[in-house]
Amino acid sequence: MLVSLPATIILALAYKLARFYGWTNPTAFFFVLALGLGTALFPYSTVFTNHVPAAMGLFIALYLLLRHAAPPRSALLWAGFWAMFAITIDLSAALFFVAFAAYLAWRCRLSAIWYLAGALAPALIFMILNFQIVGNPFPPQFYAAGYDFVGSKLYGNLSGFRAADNIPRYALDLLIGENGALAFFPILGWYLWGAWRSLRAAQSHERQLALLVLGGALLHFLFFLFSTDNFGGFAFSPRWLLLPVPLLAAFALRTGWPSGFAGQTAVIAIALFSIVSTYRGALDPWGPARPILYTAVHLPEPRRYIPVSLSGYGSFEHINPDVRQSFGVNTTPRRWFDARGGLVVPPTEGWWFIHESTPLSPWLANALELSSAPLTYGFNADLAPAAREWIATMAKTAYRSQQLIPTEAVAAETISLPVTFTLDDDQIGLHGYELHHAEDALWLITAWQIEQRVFPTGSRRIFAHLLDEEGQIVAQDDSFAADYESLLFGDYFFQVQRIDLANVANGRYWLQVGLYNPDRQIRLLTPAGDDRLLLPPWTK
């Protein structure tokens, strides 16, 4: 409803506009097919994003303005409404809102006030919601402090972005390089050509709109060129550049279906190539990919996967730039964890970067012979053999029971680790544990391994509940010292949990352990259907 429906509305209006400009039904259908399946509309109408609804709002506004050389008040009201609606979803749409306002002020003079009147309702709702979020009417993206939190992968500035180190190289990659919009979707070249030809249109209102849309698209591109460095994040194609695509496509409609055989063949070829290219993105919108054909500055080197695990860093770019550059063109899948309570160990050699703000837990440091001093350091190693050796020394005995607390009548069933916990086909196995009683705390160290991975899964937490003879929780710790979404198949994960015993009376207790998804408030289950395991009884 929120994303696929707006994409459908764009395509329906594109069809109506094609018929308005005299296209035949087959050619209009082919145009809609190419726009719907050969551009970023396809992959980003299958997932929850703001780009498609914002693009719809701008396209409706342009549609109304193109259909009328002298727009009536109702068209101006709705154009203002939908253009402002686009801004409330994607702030970069403001460039085109201003472009349309300039067009109306240029052409309609005082009638442009109706365009601004139509924008009032969404603008007021937008400001009210902003006030509820950040305490003022300005968009939350302007609240730079909101991006500066522990573990943030963004930057503490406007919109959390930062500029690329090499602007010309970034521009090349945005357009025709390894992440190039024109390389992924060459059909955009036809749209740009149509907008350029519209600058000589017979109708003056079409010329003026084409000029302002082209200017807005250029400013839109320059904004992201000079303010960002990551192509729209971990995604298929530079997703930020989707917004002007339907607007430019409208002018390809205005110029009409090519008349000559060569022109028709070229359009059909680039449309089919775009559809084949885009299909990969529809299968995996949040998986980065390279275009089938693209321009490279140099011949690519053979790529390796170099696992990188980070603790205390808000972004990969925050580590030493010399170290980052040493990775070259290799792929660096990144695990995020908090070394104060956990450690990720990929199954192969990798890099660890631990910031002094999150010193490694002494329990983990001692077991793996690493430094736990509060200093910033990085190292390259293969910790998997040491991790497996440590797991081999851990306790493997656990229990399952149909009753909350086992009794003489209902004894606990002894089981041996590892045991797999599953939710939505995503699997993580408990391979061993250690219990240490120190001062007024019980320290639980658990060893896990990712056994099967699906995305997205949501977060995870390990619960460790100390239960008395009545089944009451007298002390607990629910935590997961890593970003679960960043963990990959085969990764080991060690968790350290401290259970405070200061207010726990002497007696006999059971410790129940398991995992749950805190977003959905649902526990993971073992193959036997249990949502927890019991560790051996413990007496204080």
Side-chain angles (χ1 to χ4, degrees):
M1 290 294 292
L2 296 176
V3 183
S4 298
L5 179 60
T8 306
I9 290 173
I10 290 174
L11 299 181
L13 292 180
Y15 175 81
K16 287 176 64 69
L17 199 59
R19 299 294 281 164
F20 173 76
Y21 282 126
W23 288 51
T24 65
N25 198 55
T27 55
F29 171 75
F30 180 82
F31 184 93
V32 169
L33 190 73
L35 176 61
L37 300 182
T39 70
L41 273 178
F42 189 15
Y44 293 117
S45 63
T46 66
V47 290
F48 192 75
T49 64
N50 63 327
H51 310 296
V52 175
M56 178 202 69
L58 292 179
F59 191 73
I60 293 175
L62 179 63
Y63 173 84
L64 294 169
L65 299 179
L66 277 175
R67 288 291 299 264
H68 305 282
R73 290 179 179 178
S74 59
L76 293 174
L77 282 167
W78 282 114
F81 176 91
W82 287 110
M84 177 54 70
F85 171 85
I87 296 177
T88 66
I89 298 175
D90 187 337
L91 291 183
S92 64
L95 291 167
F96 297 97
F97 179 89
V98 172
F100 295 154
Y103 161 78
L104 292 170
W106 181 6
R107 185 173 185 83
C108 302
R109 303 295 189 272
L110 292 178
S111 295
I113 196 69
W114 294 103
Y115 173 80
L116 299 178
L120 282 178
L124 287 174
I125 296 173
F126 186 47
M127 289 188 287
I128 291 171
L129 293 174
N130 293 340
F131 189 85
Q132 294 177 350
I133 297 169
V134 290
N136 61 63
F138 298 105
Q141 291 93 326
F142 289 4
Y143 184 65
Y147 296 100
D148 188 16
F149 56 88
V150 175
S152 172
K153 301 175 186 177
L154 300 167
Y155 300 93
N157 51 31
L158 179 64
S159 293
F161 296 150
R162 78 162 190 175
D165 295 329
N166 187 334
I167 298 294
R169 174 64 183 274
Y170 187 51
L172 177 73
D173 284 340
L174 272 173
L175 291 174
I176 58 175
E178 295 186 1
N179 291 277
L182 287 167
F184 278 112
F185 320 112
I187 194 73
L188 299 184
W190 182 29
Y191 300 162
L192 287 167
W193 176 78
W196 180 257
R197 285 197 61 190
S198 295
L199 296 178
R200 295 176 290 174
Q203 298 287 336
S204 61
H205 80 287
E206 293 175 344
R207 293 198 306 272
Q208 295 162 357
L209 277 171
L211 177 62
L212 288 167
V213 167
L214 277 171
L218 177 61
L219 291 175
H220 184 266
F221 171 75
L222 292 176
F223 169 75
F224 288 105
L225 172 64
F226 287 102
S227 66
T228 68
D229 67 346
N230 64 1
F231 306 100
F234 202 73
F236 178 82
S237 78
R239 58 189 176 91
W240 290 320
L241 301 186
L242 166 62
L243 200 61
V245 168
L247 305 181
L248 296 170
F251 292 100
L253 284 170
R254 196 217 64 79
T255 56
W257 179 251
S259 56
F261 175 77
Q264 292 177 4
T265 302
V267 166
I268 292 172
I270 63 171
L272 293 177
F273 183 92
S274 299
I275 291 172
V276 171
S277 173
T278 308
Y279 178 70
R280 299 173 301 146
L283 293 177
D284 187 13
W286 297 129
R290 283 186 174 75
I292 299 172
L293 297 174
Y294 62 92
T295 301
V297 176
H298 54 76
L299 291 176
E301 302 171 15
R303 288 179 174 263
R304 293 191 300 126
Y305 278 88
I306 303 178
V308 173
S309 302
L310 301 105
S311 175
Y313 286 90
S315 167
F316 180 61
E317 283 70 24
H318 290 163
I319 68 173
N320 188 306
D322 294 330
V323 177
R324 278 192 286 113
Q325 292 172 10
S326 71
F327 291 133
V329 298
N330 293 307
T331 302
T332 55
R334 298 151 203 175
R335 286 82 163 166
W336 302 87
F337 70 102
D338 187 339
R340 293 170 296 185
L343 180 67
V344 180
V345 179
T348 60
E349 177 184 348
W351 279 85
W352 281 262
F353 297 96
I354 300 177
H355 193 269
E356 63 181 352
S357 62
T358 58
L360 186 62
S361 165
W363 296 104
L364 302 172
N366 294 336
L368 297 174
E369 299 182 356
L370 300 171
S371 172
S372 63
L375 48 83
T376 297
Y377 69 106
F379 63 91
N380 173 245
D382 184 358
L383 294 181
R388 286 190 287 266
E389 289 180 10
W390 184 20
I391 292 174
T393 68
M394 289 183 167
K396 300 290 194 301
T397 300
Y399 304 92
R400 60 184 301 264
S401 174
Q402 297 299 318
Q403 287 196 348
L404 185 59
I405 296 297
T407 64
E408 293 182 1
V410 182
E413 178 185 344
T414 303
I415 58 176
S416 181
L417 303 181
V419 170
T420 300
F421 288 83
T422 303
L423 179 62
D424 298 333
D425 293 328
D426 188 87
Q427 298 178 353
I428 180 172
L430 176 59
H431 282 236
Y433 64 90
E434 289 183 358
L435 275 173
H436 302 275
H437 184 195
E439 299 180 356
D440 288 335
L442 184 65
W443 294 88
L444 172 65
I445 304 170
T446 46
W448 307 79
Q449 187 177 28
I450 306 296
E451 298 177 353
Q452 184 167 302
R453 206 67 180 90
V454 295
F455 294 96
T457 58
S459 55
R460 297 283 186 266
R461 286 185 187 167
I462 300 169
F463 64 85
H465 298 163
L466 197 63
L467 307 178
D468 63 17
E469 296 288 354
E470 303 300 322
Q472 299 296 315
I473 299 176
V474 296
Q476 69 183 86
D477 180 272
D478 290 22
S479 58
F480 197 92
D483 177 0
Y484 189 78
E485 290 278 32
S486 71
L487 304 187
L488 301 175
F489 171 76
D491 285 351
Y492 296 98
F493 177 67
F494 296 92
Q495 171 87 27
V496 178
Q497 292 171 275
R498 181 183 184 277
I499 302 172
D500 188 4
L501 301 178
N503 298 317
V504 176
N506 292 336
R508 185 173 181 268
Y509 300 92
W510 289 85
L511 186 63
Q512 68 173 3
V513 176
L515 299 108
Y516 66 97
N517 179 318
D519 305 313
R520 297 165 57 187
Q521 288 297 307
I522 184 172
R523 290 186 180 185
L524 281 68
L525 300 178
T526 69
D530 299 307
D531 62 4
R532 55 92 190 245
L533 295 179
L534 292 171
L535 303 189
W538 177 80
T539 302
K540 181 180 179 183

